[in-house]
Amino acid sequence: DIQMTQSPSSLSASVGDRVTITCRASQGIRNDLGWYQQKPGKAPKCLIYATSSLQSGVPSRFSGSGSGTEFTLTISSLQPEDFATYYCLQYNGYPWTFGQGTKVEIK
Amino acid sequence: EVQLVESGGGLVQPGGSLRLSCAASGFTFSSYSMCWVRQAPGKGLEWVANIKHDGSEKHYVGSVEGRFTISRDNARNSLFLQMDSLRAEDTALYYCAREWFGELSPWGQGTLVTVSS
C-alpha cells in the first residue's frame, strides 16, 4: 500500500497567516493527489484534485503543488472559516490512502 | 442539486452483518464511479472501497477484503455496502462519495455503524 505521511499533525496560526501543509508519498504517485477540508461534525469537502486543480467554488487563497512523492497545500492568507482539519488523498494505486490529517487551529 | 444520502447504519454485534445504502440524486448516477470512506470516532479518514460506473470493477482496502461487498443499482440510483463478519474496529461513520478521476465530490452526511456487544 502507498503510505501518505502528512505534516504537521496540527498547527496554530492567526488570521492572515500563510499556512503550508505537506504530504509525502512512500512511492511516486505522479500528480494523483487531492486535498480535503473537514470541519467538525461535517462531511469532508474536496478543495483540490490532480495536485493543483482547484475545485469549483473554492477560494483562490488555496493552492496545491508538487509531484512524484512530495506535495503541499498552501493557504495564502488564513481566514476564520479555514480553521478545520485537512487531509491529502492519493489515488494513484489501490487501496487509495489518506494522510493522517492536519488540524489547523486558531492561535 | 447533487445529493447523496446514506442510510442503514446502526448498532450490531461483533460477527453480525449490516447493509448500507446511498441514494443519489441530481446527477446521472450511471456515469460515475462511487466510493465508501469511513471515519472512526475521533480519527482520520479511511478509504474503504470503490466501484466503477457500470459495476465492472471493484476495489477494497485490505482490512475489509472478503468481508465487505460494494455494489450498485443504476436503475435505482443507489450504492450499497454489504458488511459481514463485522468487528469492533469497523465502528465508524461511513460516507459515500461520488468519484470523478480521483476527485471525491460531493460526499453524503454519513451513517454511523457501531459494532459492540
Side-chain angles (χ1 to χ4, degrees):
Chain A
D1 296 2
I2 299 172
Q3 308 300 320
M4 299 302 295
T5 304
Q6 192 172 334
S7 61
S9 55
S10 66
L11 65 91
S12 293
S14 301
V15 172
D17 283 354
R18 182 182 182 88
V19 168
T20 298
I21 299 168
T22 297
C23 256
R24 186 170 286 111
S26 59
Q27 64 189 67
I29 58 170
R30 301 186 306 179
N31 72 332
D32 299 334
L33 184 113
W35 290 96
Y36 292 80
Q37 177 193 65
Q38 187 179 33
K39 296 182 179 180
K42 299 293 187 183
K45 169 189 168 184
C46 180
L47 299 176
I48 286 170
Y49 60 96
T51 297
S52 58
S53 296
L54 212 60
Q55 174 80 358
S56 175
V58 173
S60 58
R61 62 181 180 272
F62 290 94
S63 65
S65 63
S67 67
T69 61
E70 190 140 341
F71 302 85
T72 59
L73 171 70
T74 299
I75 310 172
S76 59
S77 177
L78 199 65
Q79 297 302 300
E81 59 268 30
D82 301 336
F83 292 95
T85 301
Y86 294 83
Y87 297 90
C88 62
L89 167 68
Q90 73 78 21
Y91 49 89
N92 180 259
Y94 287 110
W96 292 5
T97 43
F98 286 92
Q100 70 270 36
T102 296
K103 187 173 184 179
V104 177
E105 298 176 302
I106 302 172
K107 191 180 232 179
Chain B
E1 179 195 3
V2 176
Q3 194 171 15
L4 298 170
V5 179
E6 302 94 335
S7 61
L11 175 63
V12 61
Q13 291 189 338
S17 298
L18 216 51
R19 189 190 196 214
L20 306 184
S21 299
C22 171
S25 60
F27 65 100
T28 305
F29 181 72
S30 59
S31 296
Y32 289 85
S33 296
M34 298 291 295
C35 75
W36 289 97
V37 175
R38 67 183 179 183
Q39 186 168 37
K43 301 297 184 183
L45 301 172
E46 181 180 37
W47 179 89
V48 174
N50 75 351
I51 184 169
K52 293 298 183 191
H53 65 97
D54 58 359
S56 62
E57 203 173 313
K58 306 173 186 181
H59 298 274
Y60 300 90
V61 67
S63 59
V64 310
E65 191 102 48
R67 301 188 299 122
F68 290 12
T69 302
I70 189 171
S71 63
R72 64 191 297 158
D73 184 339
N74 286 344
R76 292 165 52 195
N77 292 337
S78 294
L79 174 73
F80 306 101
L81 186 67
Q82 176 67 40
M83 304 187 297
D84 299 320
S85 303
L86 282 161
R87 306 167 180 167
E89 54 264 36
D90 295 318
T91 294
L93 186 62
Y94 284 73
Y95 295 101
C96 66
R98 185 181 71 173
E99 192 191 300
W100 184 252
F101 292 98
E103 173 191 351
L104 304 184
S105 182
W107 298 51
Q109 84 290 347
T111 186
L112 183 62
V113 172
T114 304
V115 184
S116 175
S117 54

